[in-house]
Amino acid sequence: MDSRVPEIRKHLKKKLDAYRYEHTLGVEFTCQALAMRYGYDLDKADLAGLLHDSAKRFENPVMLQKCLDRGIPVTAEEERDPSLLHAKLGAWMAENKYGVDDPEILSAITCHTTGKPGMSLLDKILYVADYIEHNRAFPGVEQARDIAQVSLDRAVAYET
């Protein structure tokens, strides 16, 4: 385990609401499970899962302003729906607040909501883990969980 993880967990528990914190732990656990399944580095998957929603503690207008203040590019779609910015701002926070300098982890956090062309293994692990973690309950989630054990590519493409 990365030595920063216990302290980051404590900090996030204070900053996130109870639902978001439980979701975060669920994604962290699911990232590790998928990393084991697909032979990826457990520590990197753990850190990506733990930090993926770290910016969700901010209201949309605050998130938008924080991105603008930090020079984080904002698309027209993100300006209309600033909730999408939590991924980009979360990656910025992972790097600048929590000291994560691994480009794979930062990429996975950045694209965990929208995906992107040419996703890496960690990008896919976090994208899928966020969708299927154990707290999620929606029609089709069980099928998505089953698919994730067979093919990450199919799980990324899965639509309910």
Side-chain angles (χ1 to χ4, degrees), residues 27 30-35 38 40 44-45 48-49 52 104-133 144 147-158:
V27 173
T30 305
C31 278
Q32 287 186 326
L34 290 172
Y38 291 101
Y40 188 78
K44 288 184 178 191
H52 84 286
E104 283 185 282
I105 295 170
L106 299 174
S107 171
I109 294 169
T110 300
C111 73
H112 83 268
T113 301
T114 59
K116 68 178 184 181
M119 291 171 71
S120 72
L121 181 54
L122 182 57
D123 292 339
K124 293 174 189 178
I125 286 170
L126 181 55
Y127 182 88
V128 171
D130 188 36
Y131 192 69
I132 67 168
E133 64 94 4
I147 291 168
Q149 292 304 312
V150 176
S151 168
L152 269 182
D153 289 329
R154 283 184 47 217
V156 166
Y158 179 76

Side-chain angles (χ1 to χ4, degrees), residues 12-18 20-21 24 53-54 57:
L12 291 175
K13 187 171 186 172
K14 291 179 201 168
K15 297 292 183 180
L16 299 174
D17 65 48
R20 183 65 46 200
Y21 183 69
T24 294
D53 272 356
S54 59
R57 67 186 195 227

Side-chain angles (χ1 to χ4, degrees), residues 8-110:
I8 293 171
R9 280 190 194 131
K10 272 196 261 182
H11 187 259
L12 291 175
K13 187 171 186 172
K14 291 179 201 168
K15 297 292 183 180
L16 299 174
D17 65 48
Y19 168 79
R20 183 65 46 200
Y21 183 69
E22 287 304 314
H23 165 72
T24 294
L25 295 180
V27 173
E28 180 185 16
F29 175 82
T30 305
C31 278
Q32 287 186 326
L34 290 172
M36 281 189 275
R37 166 66 182 88
Y38 291 101
Y40 188 78
D41 184 291
L42 295 177
D43 288 342
K44 288 184 178 191
D46 183 41
L47 209 48
L50 181 60
L51 289 170
H52 84 286
D53 272 356
S54 59
K56 280 270 190 166
R57 67 186 195 227
F58 301 113
E59 297 292 325
N60 286 347
V62 173
M63 236 185 313
L64 176 59
Q65 192 58 54
K66 284 184 176 291
C67 286
L68 294 172
D69 291 347
R70 288 156 178 77
I72 298 169
V74 176
T75 66
E77 184 179 356
E78 291 165 337
E79 199 163 347
R80 283 189 302 277
D81 182 5
S83 68
L84 296 171
L85 290 170
H86 82 275
K88 288 180 178 178
L89 183 57
W92 185 93
M93 290 173 64
E95 183 173 15
N96 295 282
K97 183 172 182 71
Y98 297 107
V100 175
D101 60 1
D102 187 305
E104 283 185 282
I105 295 170
L106 299 174
S107 171
I109 294 169
T110 300

